[in-house]
């Protein structure tokens, strides 16, 4: 087992997020990297924002089930990495973000993830990267706070707690089943059941029928889905699905009416996300999810659905 200390804003929500992620063995909330002359601070002292401590979660994890780079990507998905001393509505140096390590050997991996995340932004990251200097466990009432207080305050969106559970439930459900269609079928049922989206389905890359779609050798063909009837064939580069396939990237559409070439299977669909499914670096299918509300999907969905399709395709 290994450990890493993560400051991501109010530690109630951050702990609750990590304790739901597969590969995390234990979590503990406390105060890190503050004034050494003020050891063992109380929550109230840290709350004054004069102690230098950051609300921090000690994450104990199994690196074989969850390698450090993946754990850190999960962390970055739950913070605003550009925001200095503010996460959600919580403001102050105690809510700063940081990765504090205890093993120097982890530094290369941590730097690599920081560089990767930095390359997505034009402004510098506001996330500290430092060795752990000190850590004091917070009072018992703050441990597993959102388990004890399910309706308690949380700055994180609820879906950050639902996706990790969904991915873990799916891995257990699919087990070693080798058949891709069977895996996709139960994946659509579970996503629909746990997340309640309007339409969930896969389109598979397959041979085209020249009479139906001109000029290409392969196209997307409707696969296992849950929801109302849908179009059965989509050409490469066509609609949201064909774009995600052609470009090999997740496409988030906050308003389908604003996406040129969107293929409307149902007038009730308002926003959409399409995630490519890779096998050996090739797109073999796409996962398409539609919502009957505008702007349902954001980078949190993109990140966690990316992890989910990797479970389905076993890649
Ligand atoms: N809207 C998709 C087509 C599939 S349906 O949403 C189920 C698209 O534009 O590719």
């Amino acid at each position: 087992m290994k450990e890493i200390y993560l400051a991501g804003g109010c530690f109630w929500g951050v702990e609750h997020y990590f304790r739901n992620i597969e590969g995390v063995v234990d979590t503990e909330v406390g105060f890190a990297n503050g004034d050494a002359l003020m050891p063992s601070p109380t929550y109230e002292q840290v709350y004054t924002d004069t102690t230098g401590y950051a609300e921090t979660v000690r994450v104990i994890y199994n690196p074989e089930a969850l390698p450090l780079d993946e754990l850190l990507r999960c962390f970055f998905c739950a913070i605003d990495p550009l925001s200095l001393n503010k996460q959600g509505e919580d403001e102050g140096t105690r809510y700063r973000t940081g990765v504090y390590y205890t093993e120097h050997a982890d530094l290369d991996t941590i730097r690599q993830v920081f560089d990767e995340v930095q390359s997505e932004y034009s402004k510098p990251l506001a996330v500290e990267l430092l060795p752990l200097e000190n850590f004091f466990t917070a009072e018992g009432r703050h441990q597993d706070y959102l388990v004890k207080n399910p309706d308690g305050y949380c700055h994180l969106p609820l879906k950050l707690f639902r996706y990790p559970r969904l991915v873990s439930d799916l891995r257990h459900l699919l087990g070693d089943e080798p058949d891709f269609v069977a895996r996709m079928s139960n994946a659509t049922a579970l996503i629909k059941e746990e997340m309640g989206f309007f339409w969930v389905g896969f389109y598979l890359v397959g041979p085209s029928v020249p009479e139906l779609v001109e000029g290409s050798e392969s196209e997307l063909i409707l696969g296992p889905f849950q929801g109302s009837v849908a179009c059965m064939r989509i050409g490469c580069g066509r609609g949201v699905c064909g774009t995600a396939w052609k470009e090999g990237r997740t496409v988030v559409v906050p308003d389908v009416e604003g996406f040129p070439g969107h293929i409307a299977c149902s007038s009730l669909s308002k926003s959409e996300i399409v995630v490519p499914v890779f096998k050996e670096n090739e797109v073999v299918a796409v996962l398409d999810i539609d919502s009957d509300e505008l702007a349902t999907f954001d980078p949190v969905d993109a990140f966690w659905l990316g992890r989910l399709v990797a479970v389905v395709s076993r890649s």
Side-chain angles (χ1 to χ4, degrees), residues 199 203 220 222 228-231 234 238-243 256 259 261-266 269 272 274 288-290:
W199 196 94
Y203 281 88
L220 290 171
L222 183 63
S228 49
V229 294
C231 67
I234 300 173
R238 301 268 324 276
V240 189
C241 292
T243 303
V256 293
F259 189 91
H262 168 260
I263 302 162
C265 293
S266 163
S269 168
E272 182 167 357
V274 179
D288 179 11
I289 301 182
D290 289 29

Side-chain angles (χ1 to χ4, degrees), residues 2 15-16 61 171 229 251:
K2 282 168 63 87
E15 179 182 43
H16 200 60
Y61 65 101
R171 195 189 307 279
V229 294
V251 181

Side-chain angles (χ1 to χ4, degrees), residues 168-245:
S168 148
D169 290 351
L170 188 68
R171 195 189 307 279
H172 289 109
L173 177 71
L174 302 185
D176 290 333
E177 168 55 50
D179 189 84
F180 190 36
V181 172
R183 296 180 76 84
M184 289 186 288
S185 303
N186 263 348
T188 57
L190 195 71
I191 298 169
K192 180 96 168 122
E193 201 174 295
E194 289 198 14
M195 306 299 286
F197 295 127
F198 171 68
W199 196 94
V200 182
F202 287 90
Y203 281 88
L204 282 93
V205 175
S208 64
V209 177
E211 306 89 86
L212 296 180
V213 176
E214 273 174 41
S216 62
E217 283 177 4
S218 48
E219 57 196 339
L220 290 171
I221 304 166
L222 183 63
F225 74 94
Q226 298 270 322
S228 49
V229 294
C231 67
M232 289 186 281
R233 287 177 181 264
I234 300 173
C236 190
R238 301 268 324 276
V240 189
C241 292
T243 303
W245 170 30

Side-chain angles (χ1 to χ4, degrees), residues 26-231:
D26 202 5
T27 54
E28 188 182 18
V29 297
F31 311 109
N33 283 19
D35 188 344
L37 298 175
M38 297 187 71
S40 305
T42 62
Y43 182 82
E44 284 64 31
Q45 283 171 327
V46 173
Y47 203 83
T48 63
D49 221 33
T50 56
T51 67
Y53 286 94
E55 291 201 5
T56 299
V57 181
R58 176 181 181 224
V59 178
I60 300 167
Y61 65 101
N62 173 359
E64 275 163 31
L66 181 66
L68 180 57
D69 59 332
E70 281 186 34
L71 190 158
L72 292 175
R73 283 185 199 104
C74 295
F75 168 68
F76 275 104
C77 166
I79 61 168
D80 176 349
L82 300 184
S83 177
L84 183 66
N85 301 330
K86 185 174 192 291
Q87 291 295 310
E89 292 309 305
D90 302 318
E91 257 187 285
T93 59
R94 63 194 183 283
Y95 298 123
R96 67 184 183 271
T97 52
V99 173
Y100 310 123
Y101 57 91
T102 53
E103 279 179 53
H104 189 76
D106 286 340
L107 194 52
D108 279 353
T109 307
I110 301 172
R111 281 219 178 99
Q112 227 175 324
V113 177
F114 267 70
D115 289 349
E116 208 180 278
V117 175
Q118 181 63 78
S119 71
E120 294 164 18
Y121 297 97
S122 51
K123 287 185 189 158
L125 300 185
V127 187
E128 291 185 330
L129 166 48
L130 292 168
L132 184 77
E133 282 164 25
N134 47 30
F135 178 79
F136 299 98
T137 306
E139 297 88 335
R141 66 179 187 280
H142 296 290
Q143 308 296 332
D144 300 326
Y145 181 85
L146 289 171
V147 177
K148 295 169 188 160
N149 305 277
D151 298 323
Y153 167 80
C154 184
H155 73 289
L156 296 175
L158 267 182
K159 61 185 170 187
L160 271 176
F161 309 134
R162 299 167 85 188
Y163 273 124
R165 265 178 246 151
L166 173 65
V167 169
S168 148
D169 290 351
L170 188 68
R171 195 189 307 279
H172 289 109
L173 177 71
L174 302 185
D176 290 333
E177 168 55 50
D179 189 84
F180 190 36
V181 172
R183 296 180 76 84
M184 289 186 288
S185 303
N186 263 348
T188 57
L190 195 71
I191 298 169
K192 180 96 168 122
E193 201 174 295
E194 289 198 14
M195 306 299 286
F197 295 127
F198 171 68
W199 196 94
V200 182
F202 287 90
Y203 281 88
L204 282 93
V205 175
S208 64
V209 177
E211 306 89 86
L212 296 180
V213 176
E214 273 174 41
S216 62
E217 283 177 4
S218 48
E219 57 196 339
L220 290 171
I221 304 166
L222 183 63
F225 74 94
Q226 298 270 322
S228 49
V229 294
C231 67

Side-chain angles (χ1 to χ4, degrees), residues 163 180 184 191 197 200-205 220 240-253 272-278 283-290 297-313:
Y163 273 124
F180 190 36
M184 289 186 288
I191 298 169
F197 295 127
V200 182
F202 287 90
Y203 281 88
L204 282 93
V205 175
L220 290 171
V240 189
C241 292
T243 303
W245 170 30
K246 187 177 178 188
E247 298 180 7
R249 66 177 179 92
T250 295
V251 181
V252 176
V253 181
E272 182 167 357
I273 185 169
V274 179
V275 185
V277 183
F278 288 91
V283 179
V284 293
V286 298
L287 168 64
D288 179 11
I289 301 182
D290 289 29
F297 308 103
D298 61 22
V300 166
D301 303 84
F303 175 79
W304 277 97
L305 290 170
R307 290 179 69 82
L308 184 142
V309 297
V311 171
V312 177
S313 66

